[in-house]
Structures are given as C-alpha cells and as structure tokens.
Amino acid sequence: MSKQTFYTYPSMEKQLKLWTTQYSADYFRLESIGRTCAKRHLYVCHLGPADASRQLVITASIHGREYINTTLLMDMLSYFLPRYNHREFPDSPCYRDLWRDICLQFIPMANPDGVSISQNTSAKKWKENGAGVDLNRNFPCGFGLSKDKKKHNPGKSAGDQPETAHLMNYISRLTNPLFIIHYHSQGNLIYFDYHVTGALRNQIVKIASIAHSTTGYPLMEAVGKNAASTLPGGGFGDWCVYEKKIPSITIETGRFTTPVPKWQYKGIYHKNLFLLPNLLAGLL
C-alpha cells in the first residue's frame, strides 16, 4: 500500500512496465488501448488468462482530480499479483484457482491528461481532460441531457474525445463482461439504482449489495432528489448499463473534498481491498 504519495502518470507507467518484467505474461499483461491528445497512454492491466471467457472491469480517474483511486487500483494489483499463483504467499488463497476463466481488467487512469493537470498545476480541482471536456458527460447515452452541462462541458458531440472513443471501443470488444466497477470521489457511497428492470437490475442490485457489505458505504437509491442522478446524462456508467447492458455500479471514495487528502487513503484502501474477491465469490 502506498503510504507517502499518490501515483502520477509517470510513476504509474513505470510501475506497470516493471510488473511486466516481474510477472509472467501467462497471467499479467499491459495493454494500451489508445492515446490522449497529449500522447499519454490509456492503459489496461489484465490479471488472468488471455483466453478467459469472462471479464471483470475496474476503472478509475475518469475525472482528473480523483486520482486517489488510481493509487487504490494500483495497490489492489500490488496485493493480488504476488498472490495470484500462490507462490510468494502460500498461506493466502490461490487466486488463480479461485478466478478460473476470469480476467480482471484494471483501467487505473482513464483521464491521464486531467490527472496531470490536477497534480501539476494550480488547477487542483480540475475534473476535465486536456481539452476541458468532462469525459463523464461525453458518452452517447443521454449526451447533453445532464442538468449540470453548463457547469461541466460535455463536448461538442457524443464521443468526440479520444479517451471516450478508446474506452467505448475497448468495452465493445469484451466477449463476456461480468460487471464494471467505476471508482469516483467523493462521498463514501455507492450509486447503483439505474432505471432498468429484470435480470439486469437483479445483477446490479446484487453487486451493489456485496459492495455495500464489503465497504460499509451506503447505497444511494433513486428516490426524491437522487432520482435525477441515475437518469442517463452522458456518463460512462450510463453507456455501460443502458446501451451495452453490462451491470455496473459507481463507488465514490473519500469525504469532504476532492482531491481526497492523503490522510484518508489508508481507510479507503482497507475498505475496498477485498471487494473484488468478495464480488466474485458472491456472484459465481
């Protein structure tokens, strides 16, 4: 677990490339699914067999100032990688056996240009990408319908940002995504109550319930004022659920302010570290 600093784009890239030399490509692979306008890579980290028929996706930092979740995903990888084959930690579960035919796919920094602006300039609260577009308003589903579009620039047209296009292409080529976890900040809560029914809603509710029992974060149901937050508004989760029919939830980490201060990280890490094992154990 990172105790001193949060990952930057360069330090994340360095660590990811180091892991490719430390661990076998049989179960860990690094992929760039495209580049930003500033030529930074959008990395996907694959933990599991390349021919796995099922995928689990975890994303972070689609908003620049929410980079605490990049560190969370990197520290999840740091924990599970040496335990995957049961060699370095023989007393821990063998995740390779537990997660047969499943590939966990981490996107630790979906907006590296925005993260770099937030971390390296005076614009500490920068949410957008390098072009000033809120990527979580730029997806086709409900594009331009968000009530906060005057405050959060959705772009000129749906999917007109390279990051959005790369993420949609990547999700669209998954063979059998089990579910997607979108990490955001702030609030220490879970958004899950999309306006869907049937099997898709049942899957989302079960995922959210396990996430709640693991993290202790409250579930935000779509009632009263909260109902508007679950209507499609060009978000990544909106597109995944409504258009791709992939069960998804959004977990908001941290309290009080964003960027979330470092002193909160230890608690966030311990609340979320075993979310993925608990989800897979409860769903499979």
Side-chain angles (χ1 to χ4, degrees), residues 2-19:
S2 298
K3 299 180 178 64
Q4 300 283 326
T5 60
F6 291 144
Y7 277 99
T8 63
Y9 175 80
S11 64
M12 177 194 73
E13 184 176 54
K14 181 179 179 180
Q15 182 61 68
L16 292 175
K17 291 182 177 180
L18 178 61
W19 281 336

Side-chain angles (χ1 to χ4, degrees), residues 22-276:
Q22 292 177 326
Y23 298 103
S24 169
D26 180 47
Y27 61 90
F28 180 73
R29 297 163 305 282
L30 181 62
E31 173 189 10
S32 170
I33 60 172
R35 288 184 183 241
T36 67
C37 289
K39 306 303 180 184
R40 294 183 177 93
H41 290 280
L42 294 184
Y43 285 115
V44 179
C45 313
H46 301 255
L47 178 59
D51 60 351
S53 66
R54 298 174 290 180
Q55 301 85 36
L56 182 166
V57 181
I58 315 98
T59 78
S61 298
I62 199 168
H63 285 143
R65 66 190 187 187
E66 298 173 6
Y67 50 81
I68 190 172
N69 296 318
T70 292
T71 296
L72 176 62
L73 265 61
M74 293 291 287
D75 283 351
M76 285 180 176
L77 277 166
S78 181
Y79 180 86
F80 291 116
L81 271 169
R83 293 167 173 82
Y84 189 77
N85 262 347
H86 206 58
R87 293 176 181 173
E88 295 181 47
F89 297 89
D91 293 333
S92 74
C94 180
Y95 290 104
R96 185 169 199 154
D97 291 340
L98 292 175
W99 300 339
R100 288 185 182 277
D101 201 30
I102 297 172
C103 185
L104 282 66
Q105 304 191 1
F106 295 76
I107 306 177
M109 194 178 289
N111 179 11
D113 292 355
V115 168
S116 297
I117 291 171
S118 178
Q119 290 181 328
N120 300 316
T121 75
S122 60
K124 301 303 181 185
K125 292 186 175 295
W126 189 267
K127 292 180 68 174
E128 296 78 13
N129 70 350
V133 173
D134 187 333
L135 297 175
N136 209 41
R137 300 291 185 271
N138 188 240
F139 287 81
C141 189
F143 174 80
L145 299 181
S146 175
K147 292 183 178 180
D148 62 4
K149 64 182 178 181
K150 291 184 179 179
K151 182 179 180 181
H152 301 288
N153 176 20
K156 294 181 179 179
S157 61
D160 67 353
Q161 298 303 298
E163 297 92 340
T164 311
H166 296 322
L167 288 168
M168 288 194 295
N169 289 335
Y170 156 72
I171 295 295
S172 295
R173 62 182 170 88
L174 297 175
T175 57
N176 184 18
L178 293 170
F179 57 87
I180 301 177
I181 304 295
H182 302 278
Y183 271 102
H184 283 257
S185 294
Q186 63 180 343
N188 281 353
L189 50 85
I190 299 166
Y191 288 110
F192 75 102
D193 203 1
Y194 292 92
H195 293 274
V196 295
T197 59
L200 179 58
R201 176 173 175 78
N202 292 339
Q203 289 174 302
I204 293 173
V205 169
K206 188 169 185 179
I207 293 165
S209 176
I210 295 171
H212 165 65
S213 63
T214 300
T215 64
Y217 297 160
L219 299 173
M220 297 301 292
E221 297 189 28
V223 295
K225 294 181 180 179
N226 292 327
S229 67
T230 61
L231 294 173
F236 192 10
D238 297 332
W239 180 78
C240 291
V241 172
Y242 291 116
E243 293 201 10
K244 303 305 289 185
K245 310 301 181 187
I246 303 172
S248 304
I249 64 170
T250 295
I251 300 178
E252 301 270 358
T253 63
R255 296 178 292 156
F256 308 131
T257 186
T258 312
V260 178
K262 295 176 184 178
W263 64 266
Q264 296 187 31
Y265 181 71
K266 184 177 180 180
I268 291 170
Y269 172 82
H270 287 296
K271 287 178 182 292
N272 287 273
L273 178 59
F274 292 107
L275 175 61
L276 301 181

